């Protein structure tokens, strides 16, 4: 595999195209996912991110009044999907690696499986709280922060594993991506505190950054400037999601604490239906991308959410 940072360096300033996909719900097959990816291969993505989803808890009332807690994984199969994407399309897959739901030993086993498969790029994340709970709680002997997980991956790259008692193992060679929030993580006390966490992750050894979605490019530009001013010089990849329904105008800011530019709000509110709103989303995101490309971003990274038609329309006018 080629590292994400190498792809960026080899592009010599040209903006690359990439996407993030989510595994299908348990019980469904992979064909729909691959079918959505296939048209986007026209734009030659060098890599495709594959999300990982932690366990969910379902509370089932019993006849005697007690509550039975059932643990399930709604979207399993990240490693298998990565392998399938690499085999089918000949592009590198980048699995997400989470703190939530995993012990340090389980994380090491997961990373070793990736290493055996030759998957050398990872996006390291804390992850969301387990549904239906509102606060994040690490698994016993698991990581509470993404920085701790970054440190574990860095140690494995040095050949340092959790248990010294086992025979020596070869070092891994992971290229480590981390998440960042141009408008701060919704749980952070303030932007400066959130920014300090990012600086720490980079200092530990993160190789590149992928941002949360944003709809106001000035947020990204200001964020990059702040990073460079304090010596964060790794690539900063903007994450993008075109608006596709009228409802998202209200939902996305609540979930992700995003600023919606007034011009976008007015345009979507003036739409009579979701089809019109989707077209507004395509046009807005296309203009965002043109400005970002003029700025010199290394990659335009699209959150597909299992769909590709609107991403295809945007990319068609850019690449």
């Amino acid at each position: 595999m080629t590292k994400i940072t190498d792809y960026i360096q080899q592009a010599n300033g040209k903006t690359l195209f990439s996407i993030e996909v989510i595994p299908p719900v348990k019980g469904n097959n992979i064909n729909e996912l691959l079918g959505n990816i296939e048209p986007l291969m026209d734009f030659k993505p060098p890599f495709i991110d594959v999300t990982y989803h932690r366990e969910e808890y379902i509370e089932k009332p019993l006849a005697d009044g007690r509550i039975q807690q059932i643990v399930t994984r709604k979207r399993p199969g990240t490693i298998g999907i990565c392998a399938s994407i690499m085999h089918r399309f000949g592009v590198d897959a980048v699995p997400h690696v989470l703190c939530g739901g995993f012990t340090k030993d389980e994380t090491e086993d997961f990373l070793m499986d990736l290493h055996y498969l030759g998957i050398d790029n990872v996006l390291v994340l804390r992850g969301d709280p387990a549904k239906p709970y509102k606060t994040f709680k690490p698994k016993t002997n698991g990581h509470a922060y993404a920085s701790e997980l970054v440190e574990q991956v860095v140690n494995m790259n040095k050949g340092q594993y959790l248990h010294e008692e086992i025979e020596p193992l070869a070092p891994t060679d992971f290229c480590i991506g981390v998440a960042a929030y141009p408008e701060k993580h919704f749980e952070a006390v303030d932007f400066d505190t959130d920014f300090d966490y990012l600086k720490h992750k980079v200092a530990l050894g993160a190789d590149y950054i992928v941002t949360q979605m944003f709809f106001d490019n000035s947020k990204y530009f200001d964020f990059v400037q702040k990073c460079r001013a304090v010596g964060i010089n790794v690539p900063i990849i903007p994450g993008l999601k075109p608006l596709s329904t009228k409802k998202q105008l209200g939902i996305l800011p609540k979930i992700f604490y995003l600023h919606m530019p007034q011009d976008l709000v007015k345009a979507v509110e003036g739409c009579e239906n979701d089809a019109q709103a989707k077209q507004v989303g395509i046009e807005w995101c296309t203009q965002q991308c043109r400005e970002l490309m003029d700025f010199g971003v290394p990659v335009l990274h699209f959150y597909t959410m299992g769909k590709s038609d609107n991403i295809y329309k945007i990319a068609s006018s850019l690449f």
Side-chain angles (χ1 to χ4, degrees), residues 35-109:
N36 281 320
I37 293 173
E38 192 151 19
L40 299 177
M41 296 307 296
D42 287 352
F43 312 111
K44 298 179 174 56
F47 62 90
I48 295 173
D49 278 28
V50 182
T51 64
Y52 206 113
H53 294 252
R54 68 172 299 170
E55 81 282 10
E56 298 181 12
Y57 294 88
I58 301 170
E59 295 184 345
K60 179 181 179 181
L62 300 178
D64 61 5
R66 292 181 299 119
I67 300 294
Q68 180 184 6
Q69 192 175 70
I70 301 172
V71 182
T72 183
R73 284 192 181 272
K74 187 177 180 182
R75 295 180 183 271
T78 294
I79 292 181
I81 291 168
C82 285
S84 183
I85 287 172
M86 291 164 63
H87 175 74
R88 173 79 170 266
F89 301 113
V91 302
D92 288 331
V94 183
H96 291 191
V97 184
L98 306 182
C99 296
F102 299 92
T103 65
K104 296 173 186 176
D105 287 278
E106 289 169 339
T107 296
E108 182 172 279
D109 289 342

Side-chain angles (χ1 to χ4, degrees), residues 91-153:
V91 302
D92 288 331
V94 183
H96 291 191
V97 184
L98 306 182
C99 296
F102 299 92
T103 65
K104 296 173 186 176
D105 287 278
E106 289 169 339
T107 296
E108 182 172 279
D109 289 342
F110 180 74
L111 290 164
M112 288 175 69
D113 284 346
L114 297 178
H115 180 57
Y116 292 149
L117 288 169
I119 298 174
D120 293 331
N121 295 295
V122 292
L123 186 65
V124 170
L125 308 162
R126 188 202 70 174
D128 297 324
K131 294 180 180 179
Y133 306 113
K134 301 298 183 184
T135 57
F136 180 87
K137 183 178 180 181
K139 197 169 182 178
T140 301
N141 196 36
H143 294 302
Y145 303 101
S147 59
E148 297 172 350
L149 182 48
V150 168
E151 192 167 15
Q152 182 175 5
V153 182

Side-chain angles (χ1 to χ4, degrees), residues 144-311:
Y145 303 101
S147 59
E148 297 172 350
L149 182 48
V150 168
E151 192 167 15
Q152 182 175 5
V153 182
V154 169
N155 285 339
M156 289 179 65
N157 282 349
K158 297 176 182 177
Q160 299 171 7
Y161 291 78
L162 292 174
H163 306 292
E164 297 179 357
E165 295 81 5
I166 62 175
E167 62 185 67
L169 297 171
T172 55
D173 190 26
F174 290 111
C175 179
I176 305 167
V178 294
Y181 300 83
E183 300 175 70
K184 97 170 183 66
H185 190 278
F186 66 93
E187 293 179 11
V189 176
D190 53 42
F191 182 86
D192 288 338
T193 301
D194 193 39
F195 193 75
D196 285 340
Y197 293 146
L198 175 64
K199 287 193 292 184
H200 184 50
K201 289 187 288 188
V202 174
L204 286 170
D207 298 296
Y208 69 97
I209 294 166
V210 182
T211 78
Q212 177 58 275
M213 70 181 77
F214 55 90
F215 293 88
D216 182 347
N217 281 353
S218 68
K219 303 295 184 182
Y220 172 83
F221 298 148
D222 291 345
F223 176 73
V224 171
Q225 184 178 30
K226 185 175 178 66
C227 285
R228 302 309 186 220
V230 298
I232 297 177
N233 295 313
V234 300
I236 302 174
I237 298 172
L240 299 159
K241 183 195 178 312
L243 204 71
S244 57
T245 67
K246 292 189 70 174
K247 188 180 293 186
Q248 287 178 349
L249 193 66
I251 291 176
L252 293 179
K254 290 179 181 177
I255 296 176
F256 300 106
Y257 288 70
L258 306 171
H259 168 67
M260 287 290 186
Q262 194 60 34
D263 287 347
L264 176 60
V265 172
K266 289 180 179 178
V268 174
E269 287 179 343
C271 294
E272 296 179 0
N273 50 50
D274 282 343
Q276 291 182 4
K278 187 173 185 178
Q279 183 57 36
V280 168
I282 290 171
E283 293 171 1
W284 185 272
C285 190
T286 301
Q287 183 57 36
Q288 271 193 275
C289 290
R290 290 198 176 105
E291 292 178 358
L292 291 166
M293 292 174 80
D294 289 342
F295 184 74
V297 299
V299 184
L300 293 174
H301 186 66
F302 294 91
Y303 300 119
T304 67
M305 304 303 292
K307 304 296 182 182
S308 64
D309 58 324
N310 53 352
I311 307 296

